[in-house]
Amino acid sequence: MAEEKKDRTGNCSGGKGSVSVVGIGPGGLEHLTDRAKAALTGADCIVGYTRYVDLIKPIVEGKELFSTGMTHEVQRCGAAIEFARLGKKVAVVSSGDSGIYGMAGLILQLAYADKELNGGIHIEVIPGIPAFVSAASILGAPLMHDFASISLSDLLTDWEKIEERVEAAAKADFVTILYNPKSTKRIEGLTKAIGIISRYRENTTPVGLVRNASRQGEEAIITTLGEVEKYFDNVDMLTILIIGNSATFTDCGHMITPRGYKVV
Ligand code: SAH
């Protein structure tokens, strides 16, 4: 019997197709890693949400494309696995890092749940620069100390759980990153989250808002917890917020969380 060959994800490589789950970074092509670029150019087929595929259009021009709108993640990832089963090299595109609120987990879950697949395709997860890292670099250095990241999207997570996490992060004085802060249908969550954090932090705590970080249309604002509500009209699903901890301060337009070094 031939020896079973397992790859790093524990999958068996049966010589059939493959799925690379590619984190494309924040969007600007200069932020794409060489490894991500190689996976995209080497792919037979690109699978992804239309908006993200558009960001890397010059690299994937002419390739077979399977693109759907938002909230069709299971269908999209299922199709990617199906294409790989047919022997294709598939690149599934995620914005930022594919393992952070991205497609990596779903691809692995679907592949492992598919008993017929029996490990017959190779799967790799290729990291990318996450939005919070891009945003932090634009704001200055707000993540120099411990931080928590919370998505305010209640599509897949109960709102009670989200509130609990916001409160726990605020209580523990974590710098707090808010992903998916507001959509056209979901506007209350951000007000509630800021209200919870305000119970534990001063009104003067710096808050950074970055929209379209490291891609066309980039906008950044640094304000305070007491004033942030004034900017809620500028917040949408292309925005990320970083709320400082009790030591975070602003200087010359930068948001800085001190690590504790003595500075004269
Ligand atoms: N995988 C991504 C996160 C996807 S969730 C990552 O690693 O960062 C989608 C949310 O990410 C958006 O609602 C927004 O809050 C944030 N986001 C993604 N790209 C962004 C960018 N370039 N600028 C600001 N926020 C961004």
Side-chain angles (χ1 to χ4, degrees):
M1 210 173 96
E3 201 187 320
E4 195 182 62
K5 232 175 111 189
K6 292 217 170 186
D7 68 18
R8 278 188 298 162
T9 61
N11 254 352
C12 312
S13 49
K16 290 200 188 150
S18 63
V19 179
S20 301
V21 201
V22 182
I24 61 166
L29 290 181
E30 69 277 26
H31 302 291
L32 203 61
T33 67
D34 286 347
R35 193 171 160 211
K37 208 178 208 169
L40 293 171
T41 51
D44 302 313
C45 173
I46 307 292
V47 175
Y49 171 44
T50 323
R51 187 196 299 266
Y52 301 150
V53 174
D54 280 349
L55 292 169
I56 46 150
K57 216 173 192 165
I59 292 174
V60 298
E61 204 99 72
K63 287 190 186 288
E64 187 187 343
L65 189 64
F66 183 84
S67 202
T68 62
M70 215 59 154
T71 72
H72 293 87
E73 288 88 359
V74 177
Q75 181 200 2
R76 217 158 52 218
C77 289
I81 290 171
E82 196 47 44
F83 294 146
R85 192 204 306 269
L86 296 173
K88 293 190 181 189
K89 277 183 174 174
V90 184
V92 176
V93 170
S94 257
S95 79
D97 182 79
S98 65
I100 299 178
Y101 312 121
M103 291 299 113
L106 183 53
I107 287 284
L108 290 174
Q109 274 185 289
L110 286 173
Y112 289 137
D114 186 341
K115 298 288 173 248
E116 275 174 42
L117 196 59
N118 198 19
I121 59 170
H122 174 90
I123 300 178
E124 63 173 351
V125 178
I126 299 181
I129 300 174
F132 75 89
V133 171
S134 282
S137 72
I138 293 158
L139 296 169
L143 303 179
M144 288 293 295
H145 220 300
D146 303 334
F147 58 89
S149 169
I150 300 164
S151 164
L152 296 189
S153 170
D154 60 358
L155 281 181
L156 301 170
T157 308
D158 289 339
W159 177 254
E160 291 71 34
K161 177 69 110 190
I162 297 171
E163 269 195 13
E164 261 175 44
R165 289 182 177 163
V166 171
E167 175 139 21
K171 221 178 203 168
D173 200 25
F174 281 109
V175 175
T176 304
I177 300 155
L178 297 180
Y179 264 95
N180 299 305
K182 193 178 127 196
S183 72
T184 40
K185 288 191 206 130
R186 179 173 50 77
I187 44 181
E188 283 301 303
L190 181 58
T191 310
K192 285 188 190 162
I194 293 294
I196 293 169
I197 298 169
S198 300
R199 297 211 297 266
Y200 296 89
R201 303 248 171 111
E202 299 289 341
N203 269 349
T204 51
T205 306
V207 176
L209 302 92
V210 186
R211 187 165 187 272
N212 284 320
S214 308
R215 65 184 177 215
Q216 220 179 359
E218 179 182 296
E219 294 171 70
I221 295 167
I222 298 178
T223 178
T224 60
L225 204 52
E227 303 268 298
V228 67
E229 207 156 342
K230 283 188 194 160
Y231 298 94
F232 280 2
D233 283 350
N234 304 56
V235 175
D236 59 10
M237 286 298 272
L238 307 178
T239 313
I240 194 163
L241 277 81
I242 301 184
I243 296 135
N245 68 14
S246 57
T248 305
F249 62 96
T250 48
D251 205 348
C252 298
H254 280 137
M255 188 170 162
I256 304 161
T257 301
R259 176 108 196 268
Y261 297 112
K262 292 263 173 292
V263 180
V264 277

